Amino acid sequence: HSAIGPPTDVFALAYAAVALLWGRNYAYRLGSDVEAGRLHFRPPTLDEGVRERLRASLRLSPSMPRLLALVQDMLALRPEDRPTAAEIQRTFHAICGSFF
């Protein structure tokens, strides 16, 4: 069983989502946890500023709790506990509606 594979890509995508949605400081904290061999990081609840930017760019009101849950699932400590790319795509489409 290889340590590098699709679950690694899922984690990397979650890392990028953390940086885009919550900012560089949260991405840095996540990276520090990973480098230290632990993963206690949990994305915070999105603040209203981020929520409004997403609402304006997506022209809808995406479900913030569902987006938060998706990112947390993608950051699962055990690679086998992370969703597949197909599962992520289905969930993201369900969250963002017909925008995509």
Side-chain angles (χ1 to χ4, degrees):
H1 177 62
S2 173
I4 304 295
T8 306
D9 294 337
V10 166
F11 190 91
L13 181 60
Y15 187 89
V18 167
L20 288 170
L21 296 172
W22 289 279
R24 183 174 41 178
N25 289 339
Y26 287 104
Y28 178 77
R29 189 176 330 159
L30 171 59
S32 295
D33 276 0
V34 171
E35 287 176 11
R38 64 182 190 283
L39 188 58
H40 301 292
F41 175 84
R42 292 289 178 258
T45 301
L46 289 172
D47 66 24
E48 274 304 311
V50 172
R51 191 180 316 232
E52 288 305 315
R53 286 192 298 276
L54 284 174
R55 190 173 287 137
S57 65
L58 295 178
R59 297 182 190 86
L60 52 82
S61 182
S63 168
M64 293 306 122
R66 289 173 64 197
L67 185 58
L68 176 63
L70 174 60
V71 171
Q72 285 197 214
D73 289 347
M74 294 167 66
L75 293 171
L77 186 57
R78 296 177 350 138
E80 59 270 19
D81 293 338
R82 297 176 195 149
T84 66
E87 292 167 336
I88 294 166
Q89 184 179 21
R90 279 192 303 273
T91 304
F92 193 74
H93 280 267
I95 293 168
C96 294
S98 63
F99 178 75
F100 297 99

